[in-house]
Amino acid sequence: MNMALIVKDTLPRKNFSAISQLGHKALNLALGHAAALGPRLSPGLVEGLVADVEKLGDVVPSAKQARSESVAATSAQNVALAEGHTRVRQVRAAVRRAKAPADVKRGFGVGRRTRPHVVSDVKAAIQQILDRAKEKPAEAEALGIVKKDLDGLALSLAAITDADTKQEQKRASAPLTTQQRNRIGNRILAAVARIEGAGRLEFANDPVKRATFEALGARPRIRRKVDAGSGTTEVVVSG
């Protein structure tokens, strides 16, 4: 009975360039020794590895692009929030400086805390001003709040809403693309490990051929310097 590949969504333990190289090396060995390794490998494993190696070249750039777009969308949202919050502050300042009655100040949100980087806070503050001005247009005009100001607030509200929607869409798509990339990378590593194991078993008594399969799982060799008292000795160990 052949075991299915166990694949996770987590970031692979190797970088994607190394994974691609390993995938190609494993494919060359599997195809070159297809007759010998066939009974030891799950049906479709080699074909799946061929497809995954090809896909990896597409999904890695896609994941980077999705992340980049998510960052850009967040930046656009921050700009819209900053502009909207500034407009709110200036309207409230004008109302406060006009010595408006307490109920009028409350109507325009004077004294109400509005966090500048929180979408719901800024949108609510803008909407409150627009609603008050619509309900009491003469009052707004008396305070010096004219159509130009209200149009600017309405545009800011629309920009924040649009930027927030796009930002959420990009934020949602980025992890999905990244997970797809990670799964393909991990699936390639799992297939490489199966091919390595099959080669080790098949060529257990052929050190030359076996070594080519063992190399698939070899860890990088790390050079460390060891102080031997009178001098320094360089030792090579497996990573």
Side-chain angles (χ1 to χ4, degrees):
M1 178 178 178
N2 292 309
M3 293 179 60
L5 297 179
I6 299 175
V7 181
K8 298 181 179 180
D9 294 334
T10 54
L11 186 69
R13 54 188 172 82
K14 294 181 181 292
N15 65 60
F16 291 99
S17 177
I19 291 174
S20 180
Q21 292 175 12
L22 273 176
H24 281 100
K25 289 179 181 178
L27 273 177
N28 288 335
L29 288 172
L31 294 173
H33 300 284
L37 299 183
R40 299 182 182 276
L41 298 175
S42 302
L45 184 142
V46 174
E47 291 79 3
L49 181 56
V50 171
D52 282 339
V53 168
E54 292 179 354
K55 289 178 185 176
L56 191 64
D58 295 328
V59 297
V60 170
S62 296
K64 291 181 179 179
Q65 181 180 351
R67 286 292 179 188
S68 177
E69 290 176 350
S70 177
V71 171
T74 300
S75 177
Q77 183 189 58
N78 289 339
V79 170
L81 280 172
E83 291 179 353
H85 185 257
T86 297
R87 291 181 185 277
V88 168
R89 287 185 59 208
Q90 299 316 310
V91 169
R92 288 176 175 176
V95 173
R96 186 172 58 252
R97 295 294 292 167
K99 307 296 183 182
D103 65 312
V104 175
K105 290 180 180 178
R106 284 195 300 272
F108 283 95
V110 175
R112 178 179 177 180
R113 184 189 178 199
T114 300
R115 292 167 293 181
H117 300 299
V118 178
V119 173
S120 59
D121 279 19
V122 179
K123 288 179 66 174
I126 293 175
Q127 192 63 60
Q128 181 179 9
I129 293 171
L130 291 174
D131 289 344
R132 180 74 179 195
K134 182 179 180 180
E135 180 185 353
K136 298 179 181 294
E139 176 186 83
E141 186 176 349
L143 292 168
I145 302 171
V146 298
K147 184 177 184 300
K148 176 182 177 180
D149 303 316
L150 300 175
D151 288 345
L153 283 166
L155 286 173
S156 288
L157 181 60
I160 292 170
T161 301
D162 182 62
D164 185 49
T165 300
K166 290 180 179 178
Q167 197 264 2
E168 288 300 323
Q169 291 173 343
K170 297 300 182 183
R171 181 183 291 174
S173 66
L176 292 176
T177 307
T178 301
Q179 287 176 7
Q180 181 187 22
R181 176 204 63 184
N182 291 348
R183 285 187 66 82
I184 292 175
N186 285 321
R187 198 159 57 228
I188 290 174
L189 290 176
V192 169
R194 291 293 180 85
I195 292 171
E196 177 196 344
R200 283 173 177 267
L201 290 170
E202 182 65 29
F203 302 111
N205 295 317
D206 187 331
V208 176
K209 290 183 179 179
R210 189 183 70 240
T212 60
F213 287 89
E214 290 174 342
L216 294 175
R219 294 184 178 182
R221 297 168 72 81
I222 303 172
R223 294 183 179 275
R224 295 178 182 172
K225 291 184 178 181
V226 179
D227 190 349
S230 58
T232 300
T233 303
E234 193 173 70
V235 180
V236 179
V237 297
S238 296

